Amino acid sequence: MPKELLVQVTPEIAANPELIKSHAARLLQLPASQIQSCAVLKRSIDARQKQIKINLKLDIRFVGEAPFERLITLPDYKNVANSKPVVVVGAGPAGLFAALQLIESGLKPIVIERGKDVQARRRDLKAINRDHLVNAESNYCFGEGGAGTYSDGKLYTRSKKRGDIDRILNLLVAFGATPEILVEAHPHIGTNKLPQIIKDIRECIIAQGGTVLFETKLTDLIVENNRVRGVEVNDNQRIETEAVILATGHSARDIFELLHRKKILIEAKPFALGVRIEHQQRLVDQIQYSCDDRGPLLPPAPYSIVKQINGRGMYSFCMCPGGVIAPCATAPGEVVTNGWSPSKRDQATSNSGIVVELGLEDFKPFAKFGALAGLEFQKQIEQQAWKLAGESQRVPAQRMADFTQRKVSADIPKTSYVPGTTSVELGEVFPKFITETLRAGFIEFGKSMRGYLTNEAILHAPESRTSSPVRIPRNAETLQHPEIAGLYPCGEGAGFAGGIISAAIDGEKCARAIALHH
């Protein structure tokens, strides 16, 4: 019978299938000749000790047994061209996977996306990087595939209880992702690979009778007697439907403002905010792997760090090994940073958001904005950063040790952030409580990761779009808004997800709830 085996081996063994097979045979006290195949099901790195180990979960098949094979197929999608329509607002992971699930459930998705398709988005990304021009409808956050398409494609989630993670990963592989994402503990597709996968999902939706409309912006929800009757798009066109999945992402501020204006219940939500820090990847490797050179057998090292500083959480967020920092503003007059890595993670630099937890009490100066208080807090910091850096897409930047010592950096070396930097004392960007938490926290980070606190590391401000500053509530069982029947708040923008996988899972959940109730 096939046997699963957990082993811990050196990187040299992990890189060689024959050595893995020999190692497994020794553990099983069998000759290697009796093993037909030895497939790696899961792989993770244990770098806690000086001698780095690789954890492997193996599928062992013995002579005479069929070798292990992953069967990756798409569901049996039916044509839904003449089925009941459901409007899906947003073509990010929540919206796209909701659309696929709707098709699987026999309903017709009409996906409306304010931005452009993946190919057309590239021109607008080039404009923000090269010409400092922000297209409010097409940027790193808005457009086909959502924010993850051009800002990394990390597939790791801690949300094990949210739903079937393997199902989402399998669907991604069926649409063209490498099967390695099923094996790695921290799977990652990469910004260079995601666009084609997203395009293939879109073409599948259309082929099965669904509709995908680009440059189509939700401008009103049509509600009668507390029930959804349709949507208005681009200020002049009505699409009738009895169900709307609102999957607009965490940066669609106009949607929050629309709901607030229509007196549809929304709530301020805590989130986190801080800076994006860039180190040389080689330094991170040296710290994490305790070696001068990681060599060809180990991937660029990530890190994850969490501290409590004066009663507040401060932690690394969206760490990008071998990656770069990108400009992620969604409107003129603001500066926002994010990070991403290509699939090979082969850039010389690494970066990570380092953010401070905020509570609702921190938004009290913006209380007059009600449920939008956190959004206005966030907006003020992004606008302040824009002014301080020269009213362009340049970002305020400071050397790390200088920041902890309250010194303006005499110079800022060229970083991976293409629009450029301006030397600023970052205490001018943030409220004092955030600045002081970051200063104290970086000193603590330096104690945990020797060498991390260095003046060669550059802080870029702000990292402000970690999660939505607003929650759109919903009934825990029906997933509908508590006041508006047929409105399904979904994904990151509604406050129910945090990343590609959890957003995709939430999209599927909302689609299944619609199939149940409509």
Side-chain angles (χ1 to χ4, degrees):
M1 286 181 60
K3 183 178 181 64
E4 285 190 359
L5 188 64
L6 298 175
V7 301
Q8 191 174 68
V9 297
T10 65
E12 290 74 18
I13 292 175
N16 187 316
E18 285 303 314
L19 292 179
I20 294 173
K21 184 177 176 181
S22 299
H23 185 82
R26 279 197 303 276
L27 290 177
L28 295 170
Q29 298 181 324
L30 293 171
S33 59
Q34 288 189 23
I35 296 179
Q36 164 83 4
S37 66
C38 188
V40 177
L41 302 180
K42 292 291 180 184
R43 180 191 297 113
S44 64
I45 297 174
D46 185 346
R48 291 172 296 178
Q49 307 298 325
K50 189 157 187 176
Q51 180 59 52
I52 295 164
K53 298 290 187 181
I54 310 295
N55 298 316
L56 300 177
K57 182 180 181 181
L58 303 176
D59 175 280
I60 310 293
R61 301 291 170 105
F62 300 101
V63 170
E65 295 176 337
F68 173 79
E69 185 180 3
R70 291 187 192 274
L71 295 175
I72 305 293
T73 58
L74 288 173
D76 183 20
Y77 294 125
K78 303 171 183 66
N79 191 285
V80 294
N82 299 314
S83 300
K84 196 171 185 177
V86 175
V87 170
V88 179
V89 188
L96 291 174
F97 279 82
L100 291 172
Q101 182 63 54
L102 287 169
I103 293 170
E104 203 172 337
S105 302
L107 297 168
K108 176 180 178 175
I110 301 174
V111 182
I112 62 173
E113 169 55 54
R114 69 193 299 164
K116 301 176 183 177
D117 66 69
V118 282
Q119 284 80 13
R121 284 180 76 180
R122 293 180 192 273
R123 289 190 290 275
D124 297 310
L125 303 186
K126 189 174 182 181
I128 193 172
N129 275 293
R130 186 186 64 190
D131 305 320
H132 300 247
L133 297 175
V134 180
N135 182 334
E137 309 303 336
S138 177
N139 44 62
Y140 274 97
C141 291
F142 299 154
E144 186 179 22
T149 304
Y150 289 106
S151 57
D152 208 44
K154 285 187 188 67
L155 302 178
Y156 176 63
T157 178
R158 292 185 178 89
S159 309
K160 308 296 184 190
K161 295 179 182 177
R162 290 186 192 266
D164 191 345
I165 293 169
D166 285 341
R167 172 181 158 84
I168 303 298
L169 293 175
N170 276 293
L171 279 171
L172 285 167
V173 172
F175 280 109
T178 170
E180 283 295 298
I181 67 172
L182 303 174
V183 174
E184 297 297 340
H186 290 75
H188 170 257
I189 293 180
T191 305
N192 52 321
K193 299 280 184 73
L194 261 173
Q196 185 61 46
I197 295 166
I198 298 298
K199 181 185 174 191
D200 289 346
I201 293 174
R202 177 228 306 166
E203 289 178 348
C204 174
I205 292 168
I206 294 170
Q208 302 306 320
T211 301
V212 181
L213 303 172
F214 296 111
E215 299 183 71
T216 303
K217 182 178 180 179
L218 177 70
T219 47
D220 201 5
L221 271 174
I222 300 162
V223 178
E224 296 172 6
N225 300 320
N226 295 326
R227 179 172 290 279
V228 165
R229 294 299 181 192
V231 297
E232 177 195 86
V233 298
N234 296 343
D235 295 312
N236 58 16
Q237 183 184 349
R238 177 171 172 149
I239 303 173
E240 295 192 0
T241 182
E242 293 178 6
V244 173
I245 295 178
L246 199 58
T248 53
H250 60 42
S251 291
R253 289 170 170 166
D254 58 309
I255 299 300
F256 302 140
E257 290 160 356
L258 169 67
L259 298 177
H260 193 57
R261 195 164 59 247
K262 291 178 75 72
K263 296 184 167 49
I264 294 173
L265 179 65
I266 59 174
E267 304 162 349
K269 183 180 81 60
F271 62 105
L273 184 148
V275 299
R276 188 150 282 268
I277 186 167
E278 181 167 282
H279 287 85
Q280 290 298 307
Q281 180 62 50
R282 184 171 180 179
L283 174 64
V284 176
D285 293 340
Q286 288 169 348
I287 295 170
Q288 295 297 86
Y289 292 146
S290 302
C291 62
D292 291 333
D293 185 350
R294 74 169 188 269
L297 300 179
L298 292 171
Y303 63 83
S304 176
I305 192 163
V306 180
K307 295 287 181 183
Q308 282 292 316
I309 307 296
N310 302 324
R312 283 186 190 271
M314 177 173 158
Y315 58 91
S316 57
F317 169 83
C318 183
M319 196 275 154
C320 303
V324 300
I325 301 177
C328 290
T330 52
E334 66 188 27
V335 162
V336 180
T337 65
N338 199 349
W340 59 266
S341 303
S343 57
K344 292 183 179 177
R345 291 179 161 170
D346 55 0
Q347 303 298 301
T349 51
S350 74
N351 65 80
S352 180
I354 304 294
V355 294
V356 174
E357 288 181 337
L358 304 177
L360 296 181
E361 66 278 3
D362 297 317
F363 309 146
K364 282 182 180 174
F366 299 89
K368 68 179 182 181
F369 295 100
L372 301 179
L375 186 153
E376 293 297 327
F377 176 97
Q378 183 188 59
K379 194 186 291 186
Q380 185 189 66
I381 288 172
E382 294 170 2
Q383 292 171 351
Q384 172 75 348
W386 180 77
K387 290 173 187 171
L388 289 169
E391 300 190 349
S392 69
Q393 283 303 301
R394 298 174 74 88
V395 290
Q398 193 170 8
R399 290 177 180 269
M400 187 185 191
D402 287 346
F403 173 68
T404 63
Q405 296 163 17
R406 300 172 171 78
K407 288 165 49 180
V408 176
S409 298
D411 67 309
I412 303 291
K414 183 175 171 57
T415 73
S416 67
Y417 183 83
V418 173
T421 59
T422 300
S423 181
V424 170
E425 208 298 285
L426 296 187
E428 296 183 51
V429 175
F430 302 108
K432 184 176 179 182
F433 75 90
I434 292 179
T435 307
E436 293 308 312
T437 303
L438 286 169
R439 289 197 215 278
F442 279 132
I443 292 169
E444 293 303 310
F445 277 31
K447 292 174 184 175
S448 296
M449 292 176 64
R450 299 288 179 185
Y452 185 85
L453 177 52
T454 168
N455 231 20
E456 299 308 304
I458 310 299
L459 310 182
H460 301 63
E463 164 73 68
S464 50
R465 307 283 179 95
T466 56
S467 68
S468 178
V470 171
R471 177 175 285 108
I472 309 173
R474 69 188 187 193
N475 180 283
E477 291 183 8
T478 68
L479 305 190
Q480 295 178 84
H481 190 276
E483 297 177 350
I484 310 296
L487 178 61
Y488 292 79
C490 179
E492 280 203 43
F496 297 104
I500 290 173
I501 296 295
S502 59
I505 289 171
D506 203 54
E508 288 199 331
K509 280 172 62 176
C510 288
R512 283 194 288 268
I514 289 173
L516 203 61
H517 296 104
H518 291 265

